[in-house]
Amino acid sequence: MNYIETSSGKWEVVVGLEVHAQIISRSKLFSTASTEFGISPNENVSFVDAALPGTLPVINSFCIDQAIKTGLGLNGTVNLVSFFDRKNYFYADLPQGYQISQFYHPIISGGYIDIENENDELKRINLDHIHIEQDAGKSIHDQSPTKSFIDLNRSGIALMEIVTKPDMRSADDAAAFLRKLRSILRYLKTCDGNMDEGSMRADVNVSVHRPETEYGVRAEVKNVNSIKFLTTAVNFEVARQIEILESGGKVDQETRLFDSSSGKTRSMRSKEDAQDYRYFPDPDLPPLILEQSRIDAIRETIPELPDAKASRLQREYGLPRYEARIISSEREMADFYEKALSGFNPDKDLAKLLANWIIGELFALLNKHGKNIANSCISPENMGELVTLIKTDVISGKIAKDVLELMWSSRKSPSHIVEKNGWRQITSMDTIENSVKEVLADHTDKVAEYKSGKEKLFGFFVGQAMKKTSGKAYGQMLNEVLKKILDEEETSVQR
Ligand code: ADP
Ligand code: MG
């Protein structure tokens, strides 16, 4: 258990999330308007989205398929009958005066995600349910000193609300949950997980209590839109609530706003109860009735998901758990990885080496050029070849970094680049011995110092000999040869 300890004793933290995930779909939940992002205001607005009188919502069945797929991917139960309800409230950017949501009977019940903590222990975070709802529009307050504007492009866009049980016990748990959820949704292609475009955002419920007592009163922090902010918001709330309780006060059940520039939360309104929204079944929409065959067909389309993939990479290639988890976190990265390995029969060391080169060097290059692995200038085949060259000592890891840069700019194969530049590692004993002897002859003073005990100079000799071979000498051989020659000289001097 990770308790928080203060001078007054231990506290346990409880976190539950309500994640809004935008469904990947070309058109909105109840209209045919486009969902394209970044278009000018009010371009993607149909009569239905603007709530003109006399218009009626028509369910977009692709969005339903996406929600079913998500439910199955998150181990939930798909309900054969669910309903749409009106959640009534007034807001300038909500022209209907209500949001169509699912309150009493959501499409998905239950489900779970397994997360791993820093000690690699598995922890199951249960889901309460997933429901479908429409997004609202957006008010714009920064375009005029005297007026506000409304952009209805988002109005009616399909969202899934994924509601967890209060099963998380720290900011780290919550961050791990959101990361894993994002990864799974991206595998399923039901939500793109772009938090900075608002495709995924979380309402964060936080409370604290003394161990072995009932859960505390929670505060809900609205619309947190990055994993970093999630961590900051939870930690801020925990500290705030503990301070209130320790000074004899009571935590209010309220809705709070997160200010990302200060990292603080502040009160927005007291928490509204369900009755405040006057939920009732939407009379414009029939019950949503699903055939089992439709659900079964969608189940067939679910790809291998991150957990299963990580286990398989461990099993099939002997990849360590850590690397397997990182490589599996993105479907495109895992595909790239396996394609790179498919050309040969990799052993454990090569599988790990390749993973490390992708996670480290290749990702640094992708970031530098603002690309992602799916449109990388380096093919999986060439990446596989590069690590084979390292593994078989044809080139050193150091030279390999230069080769990788050239692979990016020229799109040529690593062996082509190595041959063209004469970068093959020198493994000829004679060449290496000669360069070592030259260096020692050039620095007789330093050799004497070395012999009188200044052993640090060994590195200096290595560096000089490397220079003589333009950095191409096989490091391990060079070290051995140097050591041998120095030792021999020593014995001959003593004699
Ligand atoms: P409401 O519908 O009133 O918002 P729910 O019971 O549906 O309340 O819970 C909403 C979210 O709050 C869920 O994610 C749940 O896990 C979380 N939650 C419930 N109780 C607590 C608590 N004591 N501390 C932290 N989170 C909580
Ligand atoms: Mg709620």
Side-chain angles (χ1 to χ4, degrees):
M1 270 297 153
N2 42 8
Y3 295 130
I4 292 198
E5 227 166 327
T6 68
S7 54
S8 75
K10 288 182 177 144
W11 293 100
E12 188 172 21
V13 174
V14 174
V15 181
L17 298 180
E18 297 163 275
V19 181
H20 290 91
Q22 180 176 331
I23 293 177
I24 293 179
S25 160
R26 280 207 295 261
S27 51
K28 296 184 178 179
L29 183 54
F30 297 115
S31 83
T32 54
S34 161
T35 57
E36 192 183 341
F37 180 78
I39 208 132
S40 39
N42 297 310
E43 195 126 322
N44 292 342
V45 185
S46 74
F47 292 151
V48 174
D49 309 320
L52 292 199
T55 57
L56 286 172
V58 176
I59 189 90
N60 175 344
S61 79
F62 180 69
C63 292
I64 304 299
D65 287 349
Q66 291 282 67
I68 295 171
K69 195 171 183 186
T70 304
L72 295 173
L74 298 176
N75 314 295
T77 306
V78 181
N79 295 317
L80 296 179
V81 182
S82 64
F83 295 86
F84 289 100
D85 303 297
R86 289 187 181 180
K87 180 182 185 180
N88 298 280
Y89 58 99
F90 173 81
Y91 221 79
D93 54 27
L94 186 75
Q96 283 172 156
Y98 58 84
Q99 192 182 9
I100 305 178
S101 182
Q102 295 190 301
F103 183 69
Y104 299 105
H105 302 280
I107 184 166
I108 309 289
S109 299
Y112 61 84
I113 288 180
D114 288 330
I115 58 169
E116 266 147 300
N117 67 13
E118 61 282 5
N119 307 323
D120 278 352
E121 290 157 349
L122 270 190
K123 184 164 176 182
R124 180 153 295 181
I125 308 298
N126 292 290
L127 304 182
D128 186 82
H129 74 271
I130 303 173
H131 67 257
I132 314 173
E133 63 185 26
Q134 318 171 283
D135 206 353
K138 199 172 79 179
S139 302
I140 304 170
H141 304 295
D142 57 1
Q143 309 258 313
S144 151
T146 54
K147 295 191 180 90
S148 283
F149 297 95
I150 307 284
D151 174 9
L152 293 179
N153 280 348
R154 292 195 70 92
S155 166
I157 280 185
L159 304 177
M160 296 179 278
E161 186 171 328
I162 301 161
V163 182
T164 76
K165 298 280 189 192
D167 285 356
M168 288 155 273
R169 291 292 171 272
S170 65
D172 287 347
D173 276 2
F177 174 85
L178 200 56
R179 226 178 268 125
K180 189 67 160 286
L181 174 64
R182 183 173 180 275
S183 165
I184 296 173
L185 297 183
R186 286 171 58 81
Y187 263 74
L188 294 169
K189 296 194 181 2
T190 57
C191 170
D192 65 25
N194 291 338
M195 298 189 81
D196 43 0
E197 290 179 6
S199 302
M200 208 170 138
R201 48 192 199 263
D203 297 345
V204 188
N205 298 272
V206 184
S207 68
V208 299
H209 65 275
R210 294 292 190 188
E212 319 295 331
T213 66
E214 281 190 11
Y215 288 0
V217 174
R218 70 194 149 102
E220 180 179 3
V221 185
K222 280 280 173 201
N223 276 334
V224 175
N225 66 353
S226 84
I227 288 170
K228 191 167 144 239
F229 293 161
L230 173 64
T231 310
T232 316
V234 171
N235 286 333
F236 179 85
E237 266 311 298
V238 168
R240 184 185 73 86
Q241 294 180 16
I242 288 180
E243 198 179 309
I244 292 175
L245 295 171
E246 286 186 339
S247 56
K250 269 174 44 191
V251 173
D252 291 329
Q253 177 157 345
E254 60 177 357
T255 303
R256 299 179 66 87
L257 274 181
F258 177 68
D259 175 5
S260 57
S261 53
S262 67
K264 295 179 177 171
T265 68
R266 64 188 148 84
S267 183
M268 180 164 114
R269 55 172 188 248
S270 68
K271 171 104 182 99
E272 54 296 287
D273 280 323
Q275 66 256 29
D276 297 331
Y277 289 121
R278 219 166 33 88
Y279 280 101
F280 66 89
D282 192 312
D284 288 344
L285 286 157
L288 179 59
I289 298 171
L290 304 173
E291 301 282 340
Q292 186 60 45
S293 57
R294 176 172 176 186
I295 299 166
D296 295 340
I298 293 172
R299 195 188 293 277
E300 292 296 309
T301 68
I302 294 195
E304 181 185 42
L305 293 174
D307 285 344
K309 198 177 289 274
S311 301
R312 186 173 58 75
L313 294 184
Q314 278 183 277
R315 213 171 47 238
E316 256 174 47
Y317 306 107
L319 200 56
R321 182 87 195 133
Y322 174 79
E323 279 84 1
R325 249 166 47 200
I326 298 190
I327 293 286
S328 312
S329 65
E330 288 282 342
R331 190 170 169 176
E332 285 77 15
M333 181 164 26
D335 287 349
F336 185 98
Y337 178 77
E338 290 206 85
K339 226 186 222 164
L341 283 182
S342 67
F344 37 88
N345 206 348
D347 67 6
K348 226 171 80 196
D349 294 341
L350 191 88
K352 181 168 188 297
L353 191 66
L354 174 65
N356 292 334
W357 271 79
I358 291 177
I359 297 165
E361 303 302 326
L362 181 61
F363 262 79
L365 265 182
L366 291 168
N367 279 338
K368 185 170 132 193
H369 296 279
K371 294 225 173 197
N372 56 48
I373 197 145
N375 59 21
S376 164
C377 294
I378 292 176
S379 69
E381 291 76 14
N382 281 345
M383 198 69 204
E385 196 185 310
L386 180 72
V387 291
T388 316
L389 294 180
I390 304 171
K391 181 76 198 319
T392 52
D393 297 324
V394 175
I395 55 173
S396 67
K398 196 158 169 287
I399 295 265
K401 289 187 187 177
D402 297 335
V403 176
L404 191 70
E405 290 273 353
L406 286 180
M407 283 163 69
W408 184 280
S409 52
S410 70
R411 298 189 184 231
K412 292 261 162 50
S413 78
S415 42
H416 175 93
I417 292 167
V418 169
E419 294 315 326
K420 192 172 153 228
N421 293 282
W423 278 347
R424 229 170 219 285
Q425 190 155 246
I426 297 171
T427 51
S428 139
M429 187 57 112
D430 285 350
T431 316
I432 291 180
E433 241 175 44
N434 285 339
S435 62
V436 166
K437 281 181 181 156
E438 275 176 40
V439 167
L440 297 183
D442 289 349
H443 299 281
T444 46
D445 49 337
K446 291 226 162 55
V447 173
E449 281 180 53
Y450 175 85
K451 283 176 185 158
S452 61
K454 207 171 168 192
E455 291 189 3
K456 269 201 315 220
L457 282 167
F458 192 84
F460 168 80
F461 298 135
V462 172
Q464 291 298 312
M466 259 303 175
K467 228 184 206 167
K468 286 216 182 284
T469 61
S470 316
K472 290 187 297 186
Y474 180 23
Q476 198 184 325
M477 264 176 94
L478 176 62
N479 272 285
E480 281 167 16
V481 169
L482 178 65
K483 185 135 195 4
K484 199 178 99 218
I485 296 182
L486 283 169
D487 283 353
E488 273 169 8
E489 285 197 16
E490 195 138 336
T491 35
S492 63
V493 169
Q494 279 164 0
R495 238 186 260 134

